Amino acid sequence: MKRFPEAEQGNRAHWDELAQAHSSSYDYDRLLSGGHLIDEIQLREMGDVAGRSLLHLQCHIGTDTLSWARLGARVTGADISPVSLRVARGLAEKCGLDTRFVESSVYDLPSKLSETFDIVYTSVGVLCWLSDLNEWAGIIRRFLKPGGLFYMMEVHPFLCVFDDEAEGLQTRYDYFHHDEPIKWPGDYPDYAGDGYMVRSPSWEWQWSMGDIMNALMGSDLRVEFLHEHNWIPWKALPSMVECGEGKWKLPKGMDILPLMFSVRAIREGN
Ligand SMILES: C[S@@+](CC[C@H](N)C(=O)[O-])C[C@H]1O[C@@H](n2cnc3c(N)ncnc32)[C@H](O)[C@@H]1O
């Protein structure tokens, strides 16, 4: 597998910066007051997690990891950003939840964790940081017990073709993957709100729906479903309107396009 050290190290610094900013902008209060942050679709599609071991890839500041712990899972979160994990551990302590966090690139995780899990989970804003999805899918398989469950909720790749600085829907970016990442300069407002301006650059890859599904199926993961959704949990395009409970949609007449997708797959064989 080809690695991109400048992109990987740059993205680590980028997420260290954002983790600091997110330590005041994410919805912690619900976790601190005994609730969780998992939406009703993920709850239904994941099923009961109580008593099951769960590995959360690219867990960021651990808000979803802790949410699954609160729902009864035995959780391990992994992320490349040490500041994200520092925030996650602090939050786990405040919530009194038993968790484990491992600092690692997805690609180095097999050399840092030896066990297997009932569930591998990842969500929202994860694939664009990965340079090789076939390797990623193989790592998911590596960490699943036979019969274990992989679940992902993610931004639909189709949304990524639109210009996020233009009103309405104007295509601007390529839908298809390229080996070299796109480098984004800093100096734009953070997606989590609060007016924070991101300073550090980042490096991202676009993956098509075909790339994602073929990577999973090519690693002997039996896909149970691919669901497409017409909402997203932040205002990703200027014309989007809030439609309740932290969800945003395209305005009436344009709300016929997929903005998110979810996949559930099972590890076959031994
Ligand atoms: C958008 S966040 C994760 C989303 C999560 N749903 C959230 O909002 O809390 C993306 C995460 O991917 C992590 N990341 C980026 N590249 C990575 C890599 N190569 N290996 C592991 N984690 C990586 C970042 O550090 C960041 O915490």
Side-chain angles (χ1 to χ4, degrees), residues 14 18 26 38 56 74 86 95 98-99 103 115 137 149 162 179 188 196 248 264 270:
H14 176 76
L18 286 185
Y26 267 45
I38 307 294
H56 182 180
R74 290 177 285 117
R86 196 186 316 143
C95 291
D98 190 16
T99 53
E103 183 187 324
E115 69 241 58
L149 166 71
F162 295 112
D179 284 345
Y188 56 86
Y196 182 78
W248 300 77
R264 191 180 142 109
N270 293 313

Side-chain angles (χ1 to χ4, degrees), residues 3 8 11-12 15-16 22 26 56-64 78-81 84 104-107 121-126 129-131 191:
R3 296 285 283 262
E8 218 171 280
N11 285 340
R12 181 189 298 120
W15 282 102
D16 278 351
H22 292 169
Y26 267 45
H56 182 180
L57 297 178
Q58 295 175 258
C59 67
H60 193 37
I61 53 175
T63 42
D64 290 345
D79 200 281
I80 199 171
S81 151
S84 293
S104 176
S105 162
V106 165
Y107 300 118
Y121 168 84
T122 194
S123 79
V124 193
V126 285
W129 311 106
L130 301 181
S131 56
Y191 66 86

